């Protein structure tokens, strides 16, 4: 672990909410917090200083510095014990924050920025980072229920193991319960082999559901012993995954998903379920890729 949480800011209300969340995450981790503003204007050869006809405190550069100071002050008001630094980096937000994720253990962003198109539920920066970030990405959509559990989407894939790690750690830090939710349908659940190899490829009624319950239990193996303070609730739902997770997010303080799950098309960096919850969940969403998320 690098001991660093990065938060992207642009002055929007969404990014300031992300700053508060990032400050709490840094406090829980005992990590530093870096407030990053991507500054594309120098590359466009736009004048950065105040206009000769305007006030001396005007101009793009002064505005950016003010935004940064406001974000740093907001972070320190939430977590005064956290070491907060500020960085203004020349470049587009997509590339700047992706580069920042290489040195971070968590990147936090708001769901929408200043330049978002009306009608979009989640900005391009959040979606891009969830797909390409080199560490877990936490997208702050709505505030969530502070008294609610951490909800974890479990599909039993090897790519989802890091999301399980991340969710248990978050639940432990927050002092919250964990709801491990696995949804399945007859279309996305692999058919278990018959007990008798000579028998037709069929199973007794209920066998498929029992197999999915075993899959969920196996995905959590070892974690309950490592985090005995976390109360875990298993939920196996016969239905579509995205709808089940979005419904569960209504009473959650955080929703954790892997970037990709079983059944995804090869080459896709962000699965359809991850994209759906980024757009429609009722609480902050953490998307975990690769080996990120371990304490």
């Amino acid at each position: 672990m690098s001991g660093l949480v990065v938060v992207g800011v642009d002055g929007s209300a969404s990014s300031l909410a992300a700053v508060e969340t990032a400050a709490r995450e840094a406090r829980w981790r005992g990590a530093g917090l870096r407030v990053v503003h991507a500054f594309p204007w120098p590359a466009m050869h736009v004048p950065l200083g105040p206009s000769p006809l305007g006030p001396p405190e005007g101009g793009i550069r002064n505005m950016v510095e003010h935004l940064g100071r406001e974000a740093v002050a907001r972070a320190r008001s939430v977590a005064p014990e956290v070491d907060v630094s500020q960085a203004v980096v020349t470049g587009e937000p997509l590339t700047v924050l992706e580069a920042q994720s290489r040195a971070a253990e968590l990147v936090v962003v708001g769901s929408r920025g200043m330049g978002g198109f009306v009608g979009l539920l989640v900005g391009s920066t959040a979606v891009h980072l969830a797909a390409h970030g080199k560490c877990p990405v936490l997208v702050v959509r709505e505030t969530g229920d502070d008294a609610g559990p951490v909800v974890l989407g479990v599909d039993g894939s090897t790519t989802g193991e890091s999301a399980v790690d991340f969710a248990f750690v978050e639940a432990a830090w927050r002092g919250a319960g964990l709801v491990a939710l696995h949804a399945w349908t007859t279309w996305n659940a692999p058919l278990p082999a018959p007990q008798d190899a000579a028998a037709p490829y069929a199973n007794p009624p209920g066998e498929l559901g029992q197999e999915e319950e075993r899959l969920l239990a196996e995905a959590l193996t070892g974690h309950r012993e490592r985090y005995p303070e976390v109360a875990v609730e298993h939920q196996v739902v016969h239905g579509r995954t995205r709808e089940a997770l979005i419904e569960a997010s209504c009473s959650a303080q955080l929703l954790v998903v892997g970037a990709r799950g079983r059944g995804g098309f090869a080459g896709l960096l962000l699965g359809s379920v991850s994209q759906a919850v980024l757009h429609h969940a009722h609480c902050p969403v953490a998307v975990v890729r690769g080996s990120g998320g371990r304490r």
Side-chain angles (χ1 to χ4, degrees):
M1 274 198 172
S2 65
L4 179 66
V5 174
V6 170
V7 58
V9 299
D10 62 3
S12 65
S14 180
S15 75
L16 289 177
V19 167
E20 296 183 358
T21 296
R24 287 189 287 268
E25 291 285 342
R27 181 182 63 207
W28 290 327
R29 287 170 166 77
L33 176 63
R34 179 182 296 164
V35 175
V36 176
H37 179 88
F39 194 44
W41 304 109
M44 301 178 185
H45 306 290
V46 175
L48 304 181
S51 167
L53 302 178
E57 66 275 13
I60 296 175
R61 171 65 70 178
N62 286 332
M63 178 191 71
V64 169
E65 292 177 352
H66 173 74
L67 293 178
R69 289 193 297 269
E70 181 183 10
V72 168
R74 182 72 67 93
R76 288 174 175 159
S77 70
V78 172
E81 66 273 40
V82 171
D83 181 16
V84 184
S85 61
Q86 177 184 353
V88 177
V89 183
T90 300
E92 292 292 331
L94 299 177
T95 54
V96 166
L97 291 175
E98 182 182 342
Q100 292 284 324
S101 73
R102 298 176 185 274
E105 63 184 74
L106 179 70
V107 174
V108 184
V109 292
S111 60
R112 289 284 308 281
M114 295 291 287
F117 291 97
V118 174
L120 289 181
L121 297 175
V122 176
S124 58
T125 298
V127 173
H128 176 91
L129 274 176
H132 297 277
K134 306 307 179 186
C135 67
V137 175
L138 202 167
V139 179
V140 180
R141 283 186 40 77
E142 299 182 21
T143 305
D145 183 353
D146 289 340
V150 172
V151 173
L152 165 67
V154 179
D155 63 7
S157 67
T158 56
T159 57
E161 293 174 359
S162 294
V164 177
D165 289 346
F166 185 93
F168 269 89
V169 171
E170 283 285 331
W173 279 331
R174 294 164 180 258
L178 177 67
V179 174
L181 190 153
H182 173 64
W184 64 280
T185 69
T186 53
W187 296 102
N188 65 17
L191 189 65
Q195 296 179 0
D196 183 355
Y201 209 91
N203 290 273
E207 178 69 16
L208 192 55
Q210 294 173 13
E211 189 70 20
E212 296 303 301
E213 291 178 358
R214 284 193 291 270
L215 182 149
L216 175 58
E218 290 173 1
L220 304 180
T221 298
H223 290 83
R224 301 186 76 158
E225 292 74 20
R226 285 160 51 198
Y227 301 96
E229 72 275 27
V230 176
V232 182
E233 176 186 345
H234 290 206
Q235 285 191 11
V236 178
V237 178
H238 186 196
R240 291 168 59 88
T241 302
R242 66 191 71 183
E243 284 81 357
L245 289 174
I246 291 168
E247 181 179 355
S249 74
C250 292
S251 58
Q253 59 176 283
L254 177 68
L255 173 61
V256 180
V257 294
R260 286 278 313 286
R262 72 183 188 189
F265 291 99
L268 290 181
L269 295 176
L270 194 64
S272 60
V273 170
S274 303
Q275 292 202 44
V277 297
L278 281 176
H279 285 277
H280 300 289
H282 301 282
C283 68
V285 177
V287 179
V288 184
R289 298 181 64 239
S291 58
R294 296 182 185 275
R295 177 142 56 174

